[in-house]
Amino acid sequence: AGLPPFSKCMKNDTDAFMQIDSGPERLVQVDYLNEIVRDVPNSTFILTFRNITNWYISMSNWQPNMRKRFQISNITGLPKGVGRNVSEFSH
């Protein structure tokens, strides 16, 4: 607690962290984005983009249902209960 992000896993030979979440229930890169930017100022965050309808269909077909996991989680920018359809995810 109180340590900078990645402080326990940063080593001299670390070049990248990928997939740092634990599913929608724990989106480290969303919950701690401000701290990551502050404490690792030269970091690069790559945000991939995909057609929202295709992404929504993929999430709905992912087992266990990833879309449902997003919907019941309390995510910064996506409150609990939101995500029942493509429109809710895209706003």
Side-chain angles (χ1 to χ4, degrees):
L3 296 173
F6 311 123
S7 64
K8 291 188 176 187
C9 51
M10 293 284 278
K11 297 179 180 166
N12 292 336
D13 60 349
T14 303
D15 292 325
F17 292 98
M18 295 165 270
Q19 191 74 29
I20 59 174
D21 61 81
S22 299
E25 299 84 6
R26 186 79 172 123
L27 294 172
V28 175
Q29 67 274 31
V30 173
D31 295 336
Y32 296 100
L33 182 59
N34 290 330
E35 290 85 349
I36 292 169
V37 169
R38 181 192 68 218
D39 296 332
V40 192
N42 293 323
S43 62
T44 301
F45 185 81
I46 299 173
L47 177 64
T48 55
F49 180 79
R50 183 174 177 197
N51 173 282
I52 188 72
T53 302
N54 293 341
W55 178 74
Y56 183 84
I57 291 168
S58 287
M59 282 202 330
S60 297
N61 292 327
W62 189 287
Q63 296 302 321
N65 190 316
M66 185 66 74
R67 181 198 52 78
K68 187 71 169 175
R69 289 172 63 195
F70 269 90
Q71 186 180 337
I72 63 174
S73 298
N74 186 20
I75 301 169
T76 302
L78 184 69
K80 188 174 185 175
V82 175
R84 293 175 296 235
N85 55 52
V86 176
S87 180
E88 284 187 2
F89 263 108
S90 64
H91 288 95

